[in-house]
Amino acid sequence: MPLAEYSLHGDIAVIRFNNPPMNTLALAMRTEVYELLETAIADPAVKAIVVTGGGRAYCSGAEIREFNTPKTTTFPMSRDLIAAFEESLKPVIAAIHGVAMGGGLENAMGCHYRVALAGAQLALPEVKLGILPGAGGTQRLPRAVGAEKALEMIVTGNPVKSESVAGTLLIDEIIEGDLLAGALAFAARVVAEKRPLRRLRDLAVPLDDADAFFAAARERVANEYRGYPAPLKCVEAVEAAVRLPMDEGLKAERRCFDELVVTTESKALRHAFFGERAVSKIPDIPDDMKGSEIRSAAIVGAGTMGGGIAMSFANAGLTVTLLDTTQEALDRGMATVRKNYAGTVTRGRLSQIEMDKRLGRISPTLEWHDLASADIVIEAVFEDMEVKKTVFGKLDAIARDGAVLASNTSHLDLDEIAAVTKRPASVIGTHFFSPANVMRLLEVVRGAKTSREVLATTLTLAKKLGKLGVVAGVCDGFIGNRMLEAYLQQAYLLLDEGVLPAQIDGALEAWGFAMGPFAMSDLSGNDIILATRKRRREENPENPQSAAPDRLCELGRFGQKTGAGWYRYETGKRTPLNDPAVDALLAEHRKAIGVPARKVSDEEIIERCVIALANEGARILEDGIALRSVDIDMVYLTGYGFPRYRGGPMFWIDNFGLAKAIDRIKTFGKGYMGNCWSVAPLLEQLATAQGTFTQWKGKS
Ligand code: NAD
């Protein structure tokens, strides 16, 4: 099948991209388009050329499968094709529908004119991969829409609708109805009126007071995108478009691109981008195995998680039954759901009609037999093995044959839960994160007996719910919470040594975490975290733990829900405020344990906490709980507020240096409660072999 098609419509040639589904700029397609352009230019009967996309899109940009291969730099490269459009002596008109993104929009901007269907999405999203458009996008877009609009589009990477830029030089005309017919009519007018070849490269970018504009832009971008180098380089490139002639501007763009592409941050962002795709590959589940379709769901437990999970289903257009044990619990749960939706309506992100539709999909009930026809039942009751077992016993008796029986447990042994049913193959863990209607991560816990079919069904469901499903094996805390335990252990031991929660949170937040460990504990509930730690302390008394969280909880300071935790909170507010009472409590605690306070640097705080995370990650890989290190990284990026530009704990430690990390662990091991540290064997092994977690292919 040709990757580009050619047809003649009177004296107008049409070149149609034909690389479904999104017409990515694969080398083979670029080559065919280039040849067809030569054909059109050489044909004396052709007066104008329309370039358009077949199927769903004009063109969504580079072909990611060709990233890091010689194909990206083989002639005709994207910029060669753009130059060929631009230099054509016959008018070239881009006819856009669906999306024109990245290289696709750059390509369209090489044409002399552009028409589009309303609703087409236009974007230069390269910044999200830590780079910037490298085929003239930063130079042509300001010439098309002005510096301000271009800067916004390039720095955020977000799409704009074609109609919002109609009337600028980016979109000359919005076509109603048939795009090709409209584009041909437009081309005929260009020919009849002998319109000049309008090349964006020939235009200047008017801007009053460029000095002030770019100074303000730099300040704003530096604040808003702390840690990300690409947005500031985008400012530099757009400034070049304003101040320099086109060819000089293109050189500046290339220089910025080359500088960015080698940064660890941009590599981390690309690691995260590919990671989103990589985690869906499960060795024994072929790509075409999708499982059975989930059309209806039931949730047991209308608490914090149950309500949020129900909203996730309703948001995805699925009907969901929500069960609790008492009318009071059910009413409370539904009231929270309603309040959350109403908040979104107030903020203008949801219409009242849509809210009513979504609420209408959730049916509260006290009757277990209402769950009988659901395709999936998700249990979200208290984190207590006996309660969970009772619930699964009931579900086994009620749920239809073939229904998926899922548990939202965050730590407990899924196999033990599955064993109370006569159908352990149908049992799986679906570990949602709070707030479940917002957070993208879904840890999909595969039990020893979970069937491949049920796993495939659940992964397909995750996509339908807009979640990133990452498969984990059964262990205490699965991937995310098991690692978190090691991280929190360090944070709490630092308190024993005299560091205050605000310094620890401040250091980790400045490093890029969305929230430090103490602000996070206050949000999740210090009592819940302590309960898990107490259980673990009994199971593994050798592992040293700080008793500071026990002291805090003894005062009933459970976090935001009680108005006080590691911080204090003003009524109705969520901002953590320093509380001298906590400083006094910690001083008292230190006196009791007899540990002198010492000054600890932010660097030590960061290294102790993050190396602890990654060291436990290494054990998780050894134990086969995560399939690959990228799975761990994606769990942390999408569920735990780990900075995306650092790529996740395993990507980070690879770049930090495995040998250096081992040195640090040995040093920490000589410090306070140092027996909590031991180098994970896989870390040792990879350091010796000069390997990395990212390249590790699993146990051979
Ligand atoms: P919650 O206390 O807010 O809600 C639990 C609900 O279950 C309550 O409404 C309760 O009435 C109901 N319930 C208890 N026993 C029941 C039974 N036998 N039958 C029916 N309903 C019953 O708890 P939560 O925070 O929503 O946690 C629920 C589960 O989700 C736990 O396993 C927890 O570990 C897990 N989880 C919680 C979070 C979180 O941040 N809160 C995050 C991930 C996972």
Side-chain angles (χ1 to χ4, degrees), residues 300-306 323-326 329 332 368 379-384 387-388 390-391 394 407-411 431-434 481 524 528:
V300 183
T304 311
M305 295 308 289
L323 177 138
D324 211 302
T325 45
T326 63
R332 203 172 38 232
W368 285 83
E379 163 279 307
V381 303
F382 304 134
E383 186 77 343
D384 178 303
V387 181
K388 303 243 184 223
T390 312
V391 168
K394 279 190 183 159
S407 172
N408 189 49
T409 177
S410 35
H411 294 90
H431 182 206
F432 288 82
F433 286 71
S434 183
N481 282 344
S524 316
I528 309 264

Side-chain angles (χ1 to χ4, degrees), residues 480-540:
N481 282 344
R482 174 168 156 186
M483 286 167 69
L484 191 70
E485 187 64 28
Y487 169 84
L488 288 178
Q489 180 182 36
Q490 290 309 313
Y492 295 148
L493 289 174
L494 282 162
L495 298 178
D496 287 5
E497 294 180 78
V499 193
L500 292 176
Q503 189 195 343
I504 300 171
D505 279 358
L508 287 158
E509 286 166 14
W511 189 78
F513 268 100
M515 210 183 251
F518 296 96
M520 187 205 68
S521 301
D522 274 359
L523 183 64
S524 316
N526 297 317
D527 50 334
I528 309 264
I529 292 174
L530 184 64
T532 308
R533 286 163 55 73
K534 278 188 172 157
R535 180 168 53 76
R536 289 213 168 114
R537 203 146 53 193
E538 279 163 25
E539 286 163 11
N540 185 4

